[in-house]
Amino acid sequence: MEEIYKKIRDLRKQRDLTLKELSEKTGLSISFLSQVERGSTSLAITSLKKIADALEVPITDFFENEENKNFVVKLENQKPFRIEGSSAEYVRLGGNFNGRSLEPLIVTLEPGFQGDVFSHPGEEFYYILEGAVIFNVDGKEYLVKAGESIHFPSSLPHSWSNPLPYKSKILSITTPAIF
């Protein structure tokens, strides 16, 4: 995460933006952005996306060490990671190449996980591998069980939760690519 914090500060300075100007572009507080740049706070993926958009860079620029230009992602290279502030575990399944728009992931949700409500450009497809997930899409709840799928436009307000007392595992394919 240290590289991400440093890259945010470097990009902000390269663009001659003050913390106040970045705050206005992102809707994040000046004090929070200052803490992020110093590495003294955790950073949710939603906040990182706002910062990336404000700095006019793809969010993948912050994760460039994970590049795979071989197209095939071998099992030994599928490293689980977590986004600070979330208990969900992610495993990237896709390579990294110019023009990539899909983000294929395996996501594991802890028992009782409750995600935030989001809306953004793109689409989302989820196939439940194990367990069950409740998707709330545009105010309507959908219980999706193992072997079932859901596909919807990301522009609709949406969230997900794991109602079970055990982990749920999901194949997630979304656009745009964020990692």
Side-chain angles (χ1 to χ4, degrees), residues 113-133:
F113 174 89
Q114 176 63 53
D116 295 328
V117 176
F118 295 106
S119 63
H120 51 87
E123 349 178 5
E124 304 194 14
F125 171 85
Y126 299 97
Y127 178 81
I128 310 306
L129 298 166
E130 299 171 11
V133 176

Side-chain angles (χ1 to χ4, degrees), residues 6 11 19 21 26 37 47 52 55 57 63 66 68-69 75 90-91 96 102 105 117 119 131 133 144 152 168:
K6 183 181 180 319
L11 285 169
L19 282 172
E21 291 168 327
T26 61
E37 287 188 1
S47 297
L55 296 172
V57 296
F63 301 97
E66 300 298 320
N68 174 8
K69 294 187 179 173
L75 185 59
Y90 301 87
V91 176
N96 193 2
L102 294 177
L105 301 162
V117 176
S119 63
V133 176
V144 186
F152 56 89
S168 290

